[in-house]
Amino acid sequence: MPRLNSFRSELLLPKVGTLLAGAWLLATAVASAEPKTQARATFAGGCFWSMEAAFDKVKGVLSTTSGFAGGNERNPTYEQVASGRTGHAEAVQVVFDPAKVPYAKLVEVFWKNVDPFDAGGQFCDRGRSYRTAIFYEGEAQKQAAQASKESLERQGRLPAPIATEIVTLEAFYPAEAEHQDFYKRQIRRYWTYRAGCGRETRLREIWGE
């Protein structure tokens, strides 16, 4: 009897292995066919507090994180970036649901919240760490960003060439905790800064109400 049981087990093992392999392939195919529920987009638009505030309003955005992108130093601090020595820009990384808001819509939101003609910074914040940039991940994001820029340029009503960079995202480093959700936690300080920096006035000049 033990020999019979052993023999039956040997017969069943290949079948079980085949079934398991088939189930794994099926699960993999189903998972790959399912739409992505999350994606990332990274933008530099001057003060990252203000860019968080802009993207948090968008339906389909799941989270925003202030940080740094576009430089050479690993894990830079705010002070290092602000000094201009690391090459980074203040940036915001947006996690979103592509089923609710397409990447192209986020690019539109980006344009309407920056001065894309200013190559020296944004509003009262000057220097390379406050430059504007779209940091794309993958060919689809690159093409969408470039198409959006070209669409703006074709309108023929721009006061100056667009200075915003469209570059691949090499790395994103979150800023210190005190910079996350600053516009929510420090409401009075944030709006005092924003008004004093002239952001609202300049955005209305470019994009209207």
Side-chain angles (χ1 to χ4, degrees), residues 47-202:
C47 168
F48 46 28
W49 303 336
S50 297
M51 297 308 288
E52 272 196 14
F55 284 109
D56 278 344
K57 299 175 184 176
V58 179
K59 184 178 180 180
V61 166
L62 306 176
S63 68
T64 57
T65 302
S66 287
F68 315 108
N72 299 315
E73 186 98 8
R74 295 188 64 184
N75 299 308
T77 65
Y78 177 80
E79 287 74 18
Q80 288 174 322
V81 173
S83 74
R85 295 193 298 268
T86 70
H88 289 89
E90 287 196 13
V92 61
Q93 189 160 89
V94 181
V95 176
F96 64 101
D97 183 346
K100 295 181 179 178
V101 56
Y103 177 76
K105 175 62 177 178
L106 297 180
V107 175
E108 290 181 18
V109 172
F110 165 76
W111 291 125
K112 295 299 176 67
N113 283 276
V114 300
D115 178 350
F117 316 115
D118 190 345
Q122 286 290 282
F123 316 105
C124 68
D125 296 316
R126 312 312 300 162
R128 287 280 294 165
S129 63
Y130 294 106
R131 68 188 183 273
T132 60
I134 299 174
F135 295 99
Y136 63 82
E137 295 185 66
E139 190 63 24
Q141 286 193 358
K142 178 182 179 180
Q143 291 182 8
Q146 289 179 335
S148 182
K149 178 182 176 182
E150 291 167 4
S151 176
L152 284 176
E153 292 171 334
R154 282 196 300 270
Q155 293 177 12
R157 295 182 287 105
L158 302 182
I162 292 177
T164 300
E165 302 172 2
I166 298 177
V167 293
T168 185
L169 178 68
E170 299 292 346
F172 175 82
Y173 301 102
E176 294 85 344
E178 59 263 32
H179 294 293
Q180 308 301 331
D181 295 323
F182 185 88
Y183 79 98
K184 295 178 182 176
R185 296 184 296 99
Q186 300 285 346
I187 297 174
R188 181 173 296 179
R189 287 177 60 191
Y190 170 69
W191 282 103
T192 298
Y193 153 77
R194 185 175 175 119
C197 201
R199 193 176 191 111
E200 295 297 321
T201 301
R202 179 58 177 156

